[in-house]
Amino acid sequence: MLLRKVPGFVPASPWGLRLPQKFLFLLFLSGLVTLCFGALFLLPHSSRLKRLFLAPRTQQPGLEMVEEIAGRPRAREQEPPPNPAPAAPAPGKHDPSSRGRRKEWLRRTRPTGHREEETVPFSFDFNAFRSRLLHPVLGTRAGESEEPQSRVRAQREKIKEMMQFAWQSYKRYAMGKNELRPLTKDGYEGNMFGGLSGATVIDSLDTLYLMELKEEFQEAKAWVEESFHLNVSGEASLFEVNIRYIGGLLSAFYLTGEEVFRIKAIKLGEKLLPAFNTPTGIPKGVVSFKSRSWGWATAGSSSILAEFGSLHLEFLHLTELSGNQVFAEKVRNIRKVLRKIDKPFGLYPNFLSPVSGNWVQHHVSVGGLGDSFYEYLIKSWLMSAKTDMEAKNMYYEALEAIETYLLNVSPEGLTYIAEWRGGILDHKMGHLACFSGGMIALGAEDAKEEKRAHYRELAAQITKTCHESYARSDTKLGPEAFWFNSGKEAVATHLSESYYILRPEVVESYMYLWRQTHDPIYREWGWEVVMALEKHCRTEAGFSGIQDVYNSTPNHDNKQQSFFLAETLKYLYLLFSEDDVLSLEDWVFNTEAHPLPVSHSDSSGRTDRH
């Protein structure tokens, strides 16, 4: 032994150690063992030695920071996420007859981004999903050879040309920037996305795919592979990143099966998780992408209903595509908080404290600040293949309260949804609230039997009111907000509310009402919008919003919004397409119009649950 070689050492026991020295030796030995074992925790996550000695940790609800997805096995023994959505097919594989015409423009290419973004090991079975799809993704194109369809086909082709022009202008002058400025022919970054770039690219992917703009889709995909990096460190809107980037990437993956989209979506989803580190789990509106940040917003003390209430669809799909339960847990907790909290007259105010879990103001709106919360309730029900009873009940309860306290009919007979401020009504309706006609139509089928016809009529009346806001302007485009007072109806009363920024909500409702009723009036109204966009918003280098819809020669705002390509043009295209193109039986659209798949039952009768 080493101790035997120490000068002056005299053994005093069979082990060669005196009692104090034995104690010191044992202390030294135990410290050495502890040090060696503890070092295992500092080894890389992929270390074989670490995996040998340490069992993998399971994710527990409420953890402040989550493990990386890479290397996590799918936790099948854990409680499944509520209604997990299946993947959508790559085009050409949803029916056997189409396999021979598999689109080569969707050839797979290996991602070339940073190494940290290259792999998220997880198996996802596309074939199983394809067997459950009720309709081909792009429809059957049935009946297009019939004479009555020729005009509709030409109208659809015109909308496709508008999308192509918008994309090519963006590519020429602003590729990689978040949005195009068509008047100055340059790009715009803004500060909403925390340093992320290419919002228009991500927002355009599924629209390009839908319209079969093959070359343009490949350009967008190549940019995502080569130039869309997540190593940013700014502060971003949780809501905007979720609906545009996460939604766009998820949709692109479900439509094409290209792994790059799934990987980027999951990695970006991980970067949003620190926003949920609040006492209630209600996320702050702004998340910091800086390392080790807690994700708390720097401005304001309230979270906005439409923002934290519009995460459910995307986060359930993130869990489905990653196997990481934390995404579903975060949105389930939001539901839990909202179910428990008292609601004034059954209404949901727009502002909630993420610290106390109490409402901050009693301002209720189905337009801005509240809108997509209600939309995501009915769409969660539909996306779950009608198994998410909690979402269904919350939606119809909220709709009844809205009818009771916010719904009004003007002296001219126009139905509108006012805004509620602590019991006092503002008799105005924002352009953002015009999505509600489509929402109510979408949910009418699953209402109580005695209410179904009523909701269909209500949806039609609200949509008619929103059309009136367009028809009563000089440009035939609608203002940002319109009022019902002082003898004026469905018109803006201030210049600050008279602008139009290429918003989609009105044509969104036209599309839903068309699919429900096939009343030709909705296609007529939609075509009026197409003509107005061409006349007043098309410029030499893209489309631009206008500053005053009541001026027949309006000034442009020099911005081609990314949602114009994601939503406005997509909904117009679908309005003039067959019902089985992105069928509502197979897909729900997030609030940026990115289609996400419905969870159908498989052949064994099992239903994936969200």
Side-chain angles (χ1 to χ4, degrees), residues 244-256:
R244 300 196 201 203
Y245 286 90
I246 300 291
L249 291 166
L250 288 172
S251 175
F253 173 72
Y254 281 125
L255 291 172
T256 69

Side-chain angles (χ1 to χ4, degrees), residues 414-436:
L414 298 179
T415 301
Y416 64 97
I417 301 176
E419 297 188 5
W420 189 87
R421 297 180 184 274
I424 300 173
L425 291 182
D426 283 342
H427 291 276
K428 76 169 183 178
M429 193 168 174
H431 195 292
L432 289 167
C434 284
F435 87 99
S436 59

Side-chain angles (χ1 to χ4, degrees), residues 270-457:
E270 288 182 294
K271 292 176 74 71
L272 299 182
L273 291 173
F276 294 82
N277 294 336
T278 67
T280 60
I282 297 293
K284 281 281 191 173
V286 175
V287 59
S288 173
F289 290 147
K290 292 179 182 178
S291 178
R292 302 182 183 274
S293 167
W294 290 99
W296 282 58
T298 56
S301 58
S302 302
S303 296
I304 296 172
L305 180 68
E307 296 185 349
F308 67 77
S310 302
L311 304 168
H312 206 90
L313 305 183
E314 297 85 355
F315 271 52
L316 292 180
H317 281 287
L318 287 174
T319 283
E320 178 66 12
L321 294 183
S322 69
N324 190 344
Q325 299 297 317
V326 70
F327 298 110
E329 289 164 2
K330 297 301 185 186
V331 291
R332 281 202 300 264
N333 179 68
I334 293 173
R335 282 263 193 93
K336 181 179 178 181
V337 172
L338 290 175
R339 288 295 286 172
K340 288 183 176 181
I341 191 173
D342 289 334
K343 291 165 278 291
F345 304 101
L347 299 168
Y348 288 83
N350 292 336
F351 299 99
L352 183 74
S353 168
V355 177
S356 67
N358 296 322
W359 303 116
V360 176
Q361 299 178 18
H362 283 187
H363 173 214
V364 178
S365 170
V366 180
L369 305 178
D371 49 5
S372 49
F373 162 71
Y374 306 99
E375 174 189 358
Y376 272 39
L377 289 177
I378 189 61
K379 289 181 177 178
S380 292
W381 159 250
L382 296 172
M383 193 174 79
S384 72
K386 303 183 180 182
T387 61
D388 187 350
M389 292 301 298
E390 182 180 55
K392 178 185 180 181
N393 293 335
M394 289 175 70
Y395 169 75
Y396 288 110
E397 289 167 4
L399 186 56
E400 287 186 13
I402 289 167
E403 270 202 273
T404 302
Y405 296 102
L406 276 64
L407 194 67
N408 280 266
V409 179
S410 74
E412 292 183 22
L414 298 179
T415 301
Y416 64 97
I417 301 176
E419 297 188 5
W420 189 87
R421 297 180 184 274
I424 300 173
L425 291 182
D426 283 342
H427 291 276
K428 76 169 183 178
M429 193 168 174
H431 195 292
L432 289 167
C434 284
F435 87 99
S436 59
M439 177 188 73
I440 294 170
L442 190 62
E445 178 184 349
D446 296 312
K448 295 177 182 177
E449 187 172 356
E450 64 272 17
K451 298 279 283 184
R452 292 173 188 170
H454 166 69
Y455 283 141
R456 292 189 182 104
E457 178 61 20

Side-chain angles (χ1 to χ4, degrees), residues 89 94-95 133-140 580-583 586-587:
H94 43 260
D95 62 345
L133 261 187
L134 303 181
H135 304 275
V137 175
L138 299 181
T140 59
D580 61 355
V581 178
L582 289 180
S583 168
D586 285 326
W587 305 91

Side-chain angles (χ1 to χ4, degrees), residues 533-546:
L533 288 168
E534 282 285 287
K535 181 177 181 179
H536 298 291
C537 299
R538 187 163 182 153
T539 72
E540 179 187 347
F543 287 88
S544 171
I546 57 177

